[in-house]
Amino acid sequence: MPSIRDAVVVGAGPNGLTAAVELARRGFSVELFEAMDTVGGGARTEELTLPGFRHDPCSAVHPTGAGSPAFNRMPLEKYGLEWLHPELCMANPFPDGSSAVLSRSVSETAVSLGSRDAGTYRRMVEPFLGKWDELAEDFLGMGSYFNGRLPEHPLLLARFGLLALQPVSWLNVRFRDEKARALMAGMGGHVIAPLSTPAMSGAALCFALAAHANGWPIPRGGSQAISDALAAYLRAKGGEIHTGTEVKRLDELPPARAYIFDTSPKALARIAGLGNAYDNFRYGAGVFKIDYALDGPVPWTSEAARRAGTVHVGPTAGAIGTALRDAVSGRAPERPFLITAQPSLVDPSRAPEGKHVFWAYGHLPNGWEGDATDAVERQLERFAPGFRDRVLARATAGPPQLAARNANYVGGDFAAGAADGLQLLLRPKLTRLPYSTAHPAVFLCSSSTPPGPGVHGMSGHHAARAVWRQLRQQI
C-alpha cells in the first residue's frame, strides 16, 4: 500500500462499502474505517433477543437492493449474497380478514384491489413493466446527473416523473376504493413524510415496480449478508477494512487524495472542520422499532398476510396519513402506521425450529423518548389477535437508542434526513455536486445524498464516480 492512499472511506454502511468497492475495482488504493466492531451500518444482523434468533436491527427487506444498478454490476453472489422471495411481497390487511396485496404478479395485485380499481392499477404500472433496469438507471441514477451524465431513457423517465412528482394524496384520487389507496399510501409511507408531500408518489411507484420486476426479497441469513458480501469483494480487490475505529477528526486518518464519508452531513462537518456548512440540513421523524422472538408465526387473520414477507398495518390511507402527519408534527400517533417484516417465513435459519423472528416499527417524533410498545402491540392485536401470547422476547429501540446504535440516524431518523419539500430531491443542500464539500478532498456518500434512503448503494456509487473523476484529473 502506498504511503498516500487514493481514498479513505469513513463508515462501513452499504453506501460506504459501495463507494470503497467502486474505487478499489478500478485500481485505486482504498482503506475503510468503521466505528463499530463489524461492518454493516443499516444492514446488520444480530441476536437481539434470545440465542438462535437472528434479527435485523434496521433494514430487513430490500426491494431496491435486488434491483440496484450498483449491486447488480458486482459479483456479490460469489461472496455469499442470496436473495430469498416470500410468496407475496407485501400485504395490507383489513379488520375483516381481507388484504390488498403487492405481488410479483401484476394481475394478482390488481385483483386484490377490487374490480373498480384493478384496471386503474394495471394502466398505471403498464408503461413501465419490463423496463425496471432502464428506469432504475435513470431514477436511482439521478445522482449521476450531477456528474454530467444525461438520462439514458429520457422519455421513460419523463413519463415516470409525471406520476412520481405528485403527492400520494393526488395519485390516490384516481382510485375509487380503499384497498388501492391503502396500498399506495403504505408504500409512500416508507418515506416518513405526510402523504401530501410532493414527489412522494415516486417512492410508492418505485416500490411497486420493483416488486413486479425483482420482488421484495430477503437476504439469506439476514441483511448482514449484503454488507459481508460487499466487504469480502472489497478485500478481494485489495481494499483494507478497519473496524472498531471511531474517527473524530480528519487528521486522525491516513494521508489520502480523497476522503469519503458515509455519515450524516453534520457529523462530516464536525469531523472535517467545515463549520456550519450543513446547519440548515433537517432531520425527519424518528421510529420506534421492536424485534420479536416468537413461539410461532404471527396469527394474522388475513391469509395473505400470513404469506407476505412485509405487512403494512394501517389499515386505510386515511389512518396511515394521520399517523405520518402526527409523527412529523411532533405528536406520538395513538395508532401508529406499522411496517413489519417476517424474515423467518422464507429463511428458517433465522430462528430455532418452529420459532420465528418478527420485525416492526412505527413512526414517532424525532428524538421521542417514550415507550411505544403498548401502542405497537395494540395495533398488531387488531389484525393478529393473540399476537402477544406468542412473544418469547422483545428488543425495543426508540429514537434515542437507534441514534446510539447508528450515528447517521439522528433523533431516530432512518431516512438520514427529512424527506419532504426540496430536501427530498436536493440532499443535503442546493449545490452543483451534492457529494462534494467545501474541502476539495472531502466527499459525502451517505443516504443524506441522492437518491436517498434505502439499501441500494447508489449514493455510494455516485460519490465514488465524483471521486474517481477527480482522481483521474490528478494523474
Side-chain angles (χ1 to χ4, degrees), residues 14 38 48 86 89 93 104 114 127 152 157 162 190 234 248 272 304 352 366 389 392 397 443 471:
T38 58
L48 297 175
C89 299
R104 297 187 74 172
E152 295 183 13
L157 183 63
L162 290 174
H190 285 244
L234 174 59
K248 296 182 178 180
N366 190 283
D389 295 335
L392 297 173
F443 297 80
L471 292 179

Side-chain angles (χ1 to χ4, degrees), residues 6 44 53 121 135 172 193 200 209 217 233 255 357 423 448 472:
D6 289 319
R44 297 179 183 276
F53 290 85
Y121 182 82
L135 187 61
N172 271 349
M200 197 171 177
L209 295 172
Y233 186 36
V357 293
Q423 194 169 278
S448 301
R472 283 203 307 264

